Amino acid sequence: MRWTLLVGLLCFAAGAGAGEVGQIKAAKGAVFLERQGQRLPATVGMPVQESDSLITGADGSAGVTFSDNSLLSVGPGSVLAIERYAFDSTTHSGHFEASLKKGTLAVVSGKMVKHSPDAMRVRTPSAIMGVRGTEFVVKVIEPGS
Amino acid sequence: MFALVFGALVILGAIYAQPAAREEIVVVLPSPDGHTGTVIVQRGGERYVLNQPFAASRLTGEQSATAQLSDAEVRQSFGVALEALPVPPTTFLLYFVTGTDELTDESKEELKQILAELKHRPVPDIMVVGHTDTVGELEANDLLSAQRAERMKGFLVEIGIPGRQIQTAGRGEREPLVPTADNIDEPRNRRVEINVR
């Protein structure tokens, strides 16, 4: 009995963790999603999950629409980690943390930032950006990369 | 042997052509409606507030500075990324002839434009929500609102949007756009919302 409950809870937790948080709407050239150590070729329509990394080759670019209507896109030679994401479509509360390791990123913030201005953070190797309802772009060039 | 030395030189050249230090830049853009939001950049102990169009914070090696870029400079550096930004999600409203799932003449025209626009969206995720006015019984209105949503889904499937990408719901008279007393013939409440992501 106790085991059934535990297994049930674990399944629920795994289900929630594996949820779709966004969808790839544009993909050109070499584009990959890195998920649990596996590198999957990314195509238009593919779901994006929390903890995925979006990776583009020298000729690649990709755009993602998230469930709170945030839009993110990356240019060539980029590595973008979707570190944390949660959004409640009823209350519009949530959190969004992404990290640009290298390359270029464009961001249009969505509903969760409108609801609470501290909900979204974007990191680079040197900085943390807080977002107050806006469009912005970020570029990171690593030495020798 | 010569080829080998030449190859080594090319590789060395490629390595030294790369920047010796890390470079980063953050630029705030005006949105299409002309409004510019705010980005707060926290870098070590420094804090920069960017809230003017094309205001930037730049890091070169250990050197941090603010800068003002031009639209052209942003296009140059970020053109490919900006090009890949998805079309923003949007909502369309269409209205019905009283008591039916027939669109008004005006909404029929608008539907043509909406369908044309939807063709430009790759893999649209669509939620169609039907509503009624307060004329009639609650149960009958629940049914009618669901029919209205289903009818619209039919049009979307007809232009080639896969049915599995379209969800429908009927909210009956429970969510009026214009709150009214019961049994009020209010055209603005006889509607569907087509939410496209």
Side-chain angles (χ1 to χ4, degrees):
Chain A
M1 183 62 199
R2 209 179 290 165
W3 277 109
T4 320
L5 185 68
L6 184 63
V7 169
L9 282 173
L10 282 174
C11 286
F12 179 74
E20 174 175 343
V21 301
Q23 191 186 39
I24 296 196
K25 296 288 190 186
K28 270 189 196 163
V31 183
F32 302 94
L33 273 182
E34 203 169 76
R35 181 174 296 164
Q36 290 159 357
Q38 275 196 310
R39 190 170 275 213
L40 316 163
T43 50
V44 170
M46 201 166 155
V48 173
Q49 301 176 0
E50 189 181 26
S51 308
D52 281 355
S53 285
L54 185 60
I55 298 165
T56 55
D59 64 341
S61 66
V64 180
T65 300
F66 287 84
S67 60
D68 80 322
N69 291 356
S70 303
L71 313 173
L72 264 68
S73 62
V74 290
S78 301
V79 177
L80 175 74
I82 310 300
E83 292 177 335
R84 293 175 72 223
Y85 183 97
F87 177 62
D88 183 325
S89 59
T90 305
T91 63
H92 288 190
S93 64
H95 55 253
F96 194 162
E97 283 178 30
S99 176
L100 183 70
K101 316 281 188 196
K102 60 174 190 157
T104 50
L105 166 70
V107 178
V108 179
S109 63
K111 288 179 184 169
M112 72 169 82
V113 167
K114 272 198 190 114
H115 176 264
S116 61
D118 286 320
M120 188 181 204
R121 275 169 214 279
V122 176
R123 279 173 222 279
T124 64
S126 84
I128 301 175
M129 272 85 74
V131 183
R132 306 279 189 274
T134 194
E135 291 193 35
F136 65 102
V137 286
V138 189
K139 185 176 207 165
V140 174
I141 307 171
E142 284 292 354
S145 68
Chain B
M1 180 61 190
F2 179 75
L4 205 67
V5 171
F6 182 73
L9 282 174
V10 168
I11 290 167
L12 276 176
I15 289 169
Y16 283 104
Q18 296 300 329
R22 181 194 295 144
E23 286 179 35
E24 291 186 15
I25 188 157
V26 183
V27 193
V28 174
L29 306 182
S31 60
D33 67 8
H35 167 83
T36 301
T38 302
V39 172
I40 294 159
V41 182
Q42 189 81 42
R43 181 178 287 129
E46 312 275 350
R47 187 170 183 271
Y48 307 92
V49 178
L50 308 177
N51 54 14
Q52 297 300 315
F54 306 111
S57 161
R58 200 196 295 264
L59 176 83
T60 312
E62 302 293 307
Q63 208 67 38
S64 207
T66 49
Q68 183 64 42
L69 269 65
S70 68
D71 193 0
E73 284 169 301
V74 168
R75 295 272 144 208
Q76 171 87 24
S77 292
F78 297 96
V80 180
L82 287 168
E83 186 86 359
L85 266 180
V87 186
T90 188
T91 299
F92 303 103
L93 281 179
L94 292 172
Y95 300 91
F96 292 85
V97 175
T98 183
T100 71
D101 60 0
E102 279 298 318
L103 290 171
T104 61
D105 287 345
E106 208 172 295
S107 283
K108 274 180 192 160
E109 282 306 307
E110 207 168 322
L111 176 66
K112 283 182 202 160
Q113 290 170 26
I114 294 169
L115 295 177
E117 205 219 283
L118 288 180
K119 283 182 186 165
H120 297 296
R121 286 184 183 247
V123 293
D125 250 333
I126 300 179
M127 177 78 198
V128 188
V129 186
H131 302 271
T132 69
D133 60 23
T134 55
V135 175
E137 294 303 313
L138 193 72
E139 293 75 21
N141 280 334
D142 282 350
L143 194 65
L144 178 58
S145 65
Q147 276 170 3
R148 286 175 172 168
E150 281 299 324
R151 184 90 192 268
M152 294 307 111
K153 179 177 175 175
F155 292 130
L156 299 172
V157 170
E158 243 169 58
I159 62 160
I161 300 171
R164 66 188 139 77
Q165 286 168 220
I166 310 168
Q167 288 174 282
T168 60
R171 297 283 297 135
E173 58 180 75
R174 296 154 207 271
E175 228 171 83
L177 199 61
V178 183
T180 67
D182 199 18
N183 277 308
I184 299 295
D185 176 341
E186 172 52 66
R188 285 172 291 178
N189 288 338
R190 295 193 293 271
R191 70 199 196 279
V192 288
E193 282 164 36
I194 304 177
N195 301 293
V196 185
R197 182 181 286 136

